[in-house]
Amino acid sequence: MKRLNLYPLSENWRPPKLLARDKQLKVLLENRESQSPENFWIQGNRGLGKTLTATIFKEMTEDTFIITCSSSSFRRAVEEFALKNDVKPKVREDPSTIILRVIEEKAEGDKITIFFDDIDRLALGPTLTRDFGIHICNIYDRLLERGYTFSIHLITTKDFKDARKYLDRSAESRLNLRPLIFPPYSEGEIKKLLMQRLEFIDDLEWSEEAVSYIAARVARDAEGREGDMRLALEIARAAIKTFGKLTLEAAEKAWKDRETDYWVEILKEMPFGKALLLASIVWETLDRYEDEIEELEEGEEYYPVSWSEVKKRWRSNAEAVGLGNVKDHRLRKWLDSLRESDLVEARTLPKTHEYNYTNMRELYITLKADLMKLFYATQKIDWSKRW
Ligand SMILES: Nc1ncnc2c1ncn2[C@@H]1O[C@H](COP(=O)(O)OP(=O)(O)OP(=O)(O)O)[C@@H](O)[C@H]1O
Ligand SMILES: [Mg+2]
């Protein structure tokens, strides 16, 4: 197989032209030129180009500073920021002082833009929020004192309506934030963004069909990561890695693998017995309705299986892996927590049993998560190794 240079599909590759975020970029650029620039609460889920847009803004302007807050502490983040700007932080120097020192040493003009990227971690506790707020106030007051025109933008995945929770009152009133939203990428946008990158890979065989497939899956079917460009890139890279080219078949395979991995992870995060219970529901449903399930339309509910059968199945599986005696109420607790996380539904229905003369009722479990995805995941797990 010929070695391909997949750099354009990597995280760090910089597009020659920012597509799909030109509006947000324009808002930020115009804001910089205005008489009294505003401060933005830049909000969007993972992988929606927030950092990229800030980075490109920085390249297009002077005196833009990005402080990436994903380190373990704000101090650490600020120290790293200073070092990157060739400024050496002093021992026990206050973070806001460090930031100001960097700005004073580096800024050429008097229009300053500061991005705090990924502030989510800083807002995990009340003390953190207060500390962050105090630093923001210090920076704000001192930039003002020195006669700079400036903006302080905060980048986050959190909703603007919760901004108050993450910012101290005095910081909030100084910044008077406005939301700037990065919505999930649509299918068409993901397609365009992927093709923009593929054009830059020499000798790669790829089809538009495959790109459309990835775009559609990521836009609609990504289990909470809808529209995430990082995910689209992951899938494209995985497909090319195994097939050497980006065909529909390769894309489908890569997507299916990632779906299976996703569910394996969900199962592995559960206590072993609970995961085995969910698996038992999957296996019972499949066995019971094997033929009919093929006919189900997309979005239609699966068929219910009886709780007593599921329990039987769980017990024989548990025995096979040497899981000791587990009381019924324990199983019931696991079932309830599966319901709470919306993976299954439980209802009491008349028994479907053919000898049900007395109209007896029984608890029935219906799977709400996708049966086949879960099934492939249960196949991938080695159940003989308890965790
Ligand atoms: N409009 C775009 N054009 C080209 N590439 C993009 C675009 N948006 C996102 N990407 C790519 O997708 C990946 C994720 O983007 P980015 O890091 O900017 O996301 P983010 O919104 O900052 O996510 P997070 O909240 O996880 O930090 C990067 O590799 C980036 O280059
Ligand atoms: Mg980011």
Side-chain angles (χ1 to χ4, degrees):
M1 214 189 295
K2 196 166 180 300
R3 249 189 107 76
L4 292 162
N5 178 2
L6 295 185
Y7 180 62
L9 287 177
S10 78
E11 282 269 320
N12 302 329
W13 186 79
R14 210 47 65 60
K17 183 170 182 292
L18 184 65
L19 302 175
R21 288 303 181 223
D22 32 336
K23 251 198 235 138
Q24 283 84 351
L25 182 63
K26 190 163 164 238
V27 169
L28 289 167
L29 288 169
E30 283 178 2
N31 178 63
R32 181 178 183 271
E33 300 311 322
S34 86
Q35 289 291 335
S36 48
E38 301 196 80
N39 308 302
F40 288 108
W41 178 267
I42 297 179
Q43 166 201 333
N45 287 339
R46 297 273 162 221
L48 298 184
K50 303 184 297 297
T51 301
L52 177 68
T53 304
T55 312
I56 289 182
F57 178 95
K58 180 176 156 70
E59 284 165 5
M60 293 174 72
T61 54
E62 291 202 321
D63 304 337
T64 295
F65 301 89
I66 302 177
I67 298 146
T68 306
C69 302
S70 44
S71 314
S72 52
S73 74
F74 186 56
R75 166 174 298 281
R76 172 74 53 78
V78 169
E79 284 170 356
E80 279 165 13
F81 162 74
L83 290 173
K84 233 193 260 163
N85 282 285
D86 311 311
V87 171
K88 208 158 172 280
K90 295 179 194 141
V91 183
R92 259 183 258 137
E93 189 179 12
D94 185 72
S96 42
T97 315
I98 302 178
I99 293 174
L100 281 157
R101 215 150 54 77
V102 174
I103 291 173
E104 276 170 352
E105 282 185 30
K106 295 281 145 172
E108 315 225 325
D110 56 1
K111 272 192 223 161
I112 310 287
T113 310
I114 306 175
F115 289 92
F116 286 97
D117 193 2
D118 252 327
I119 61 159
D120 295 17
R121 282 224 210 170
L122 300 176
L124 285 180
T127 38
L128 286 175
T129 307
R130 190 158 17 94
D131 282 358
F132 184 53
I134 291 169
H135 294 311
I136 297 269
C137 291
N138 284 342
I139 294 166
Y140 184 98
D141 292 344
R142 290 172 60 183
L143 288 173
L144 203 62
E145 239 171 66
R146 281 168 218 193
Y148 286 116
T149 307
F150 61 94
S151 287
I152 299 177
H153 305 310
L154 308 180
I155 301 181
T156 170
T157 62
K158 306 284 190 241
D159 216 89
F160 180 60
K161 69 179 188 324
D162 294 327
R164 205 154 277 182
K165 276 197 235 155
Y166 298 96
L167 269 190
D168 172 85
R169 278 291 265 291
S170 40
E172 194 193 331
S173 98
R174 279 173 176 76
L175 294 185
N176 192 15
L177 290 158
R178 275 212 307 148
L180 178 61
I181 305 219
F182 281 56
Y185 287 126
S186 68
E187 185 179 334
E189 285 171 332
I190 297 172
K191 196 172 157 186
K192 246 200 272 164
L193 294 182
L194 276 176
M195 298 214 291
Q196 183 192 35
R197 287 168 181 257
L198 291 168
E199 307 280 1
F200 280 89
I201 304 178
D202 293 332
D203 302 325
L204 175 69
E205 191 187 318
W206 60 274
S207 77
E208 200 172 325
E209 224 186 351
V211 177
S212 299
Y213 174 83
I214 296 175
R217 293 272 79 79
V218 174
R220 292 195 235 114
D221 202 15
E223 330 264 10
R225 288 180 69 183
E226 277 77 13
D228 180 341
M229 191 56 202
R230 196 176 285 125
L231 177 60
L233 292 172
E234 264 167 45
I235 302 292
R237 286 196 304 261
I240 297 170
K241 221 167 249 164
T242 25
F243 280 70
K245 53 190 174 183
L246 187 57
T247 55
L248 181 60
E249 187 195 7
E252 282 174 346
K253 171 83 167 55
W255 181 260
K256 197 167 222 169
D257 284 349
R258 102 107 209 163
E259 250 170 14
T260 308
D261 291 346
Y262 171 82
W263 284 105
V264 167
E265 227 170 87
I266 300 261
L267 283 160
K268 290 267 186 168
E269 274 165 13
M270 297 178 186
F272 181 82
K274 182 177 156 189
L276 189 61
L277 180 62
L278 182 55
S280 302
I281 295 169
V282 169
W283 296 327
E284 183 66 22
T285 308
L286 256 183
D287 279 359
R288 220 164 158 78
Y289 299 104
E290 209 163 3
D291 307 327
E292 289 137 87
I293 277 169
E294 304 239 312
E295 322 257 287
L296 281 183
E297 300 273 326
E298 202 173 326
E300 241 182 306
E301 270 196 24
Y302 295 114
Y303 299 95
V305 287
S306 92
W307 178 229
S308 55
E309 292 300 323
V310 168
K311 280 194 291 192
K312 246 190 246 162
R313 192 156 195 144
W314 187 91
R315 291 204 182 281
S316 75
N317 287 321
E319 199 179 341
V321 295
L323 199 62
N325 203 4
V326 170
K327 297 248 163 58
D328 253 33
H329 77 262
R330 189 73 190 276
L331 288 175
R332 187 52 205 250
K333 272 219 172 108
W334 283 330
L335 175 67
D336 288 339
S337 91
L338 290 175
R339 287 166 77 178
E340 266 159 38
S341 30
D342 224 24
L343 293 165
V344 305
E345 204 172 59
R347 265 174 304 181
T348 311
L349 300 169
K351 272 197 176 186
T352 50
H353 210 265
E354 49 188 299
Y355 309 113
N356 187 9
Y357 302 122
T358 52
N359 212 5
M360 283 198 297
R361 296 170 77 80
E362 176 165 27
L363 190 62
Y364 280 90
I365 318 298
T366 317
L367 205 59
K368 291 186 82 184
D370 191 285
L371 176 73
M372 291 319 286
K373 290 181 197 168
L374 261 169
F375 175 68
Y376 294 131
T378 67
Q379 296 295 94
K380 209 169 171 183
I381 290 174
D382 180 359
W383 293 97
S384 68
K385 292 203 185 82
R386 270 192 276 152
W387 61 85

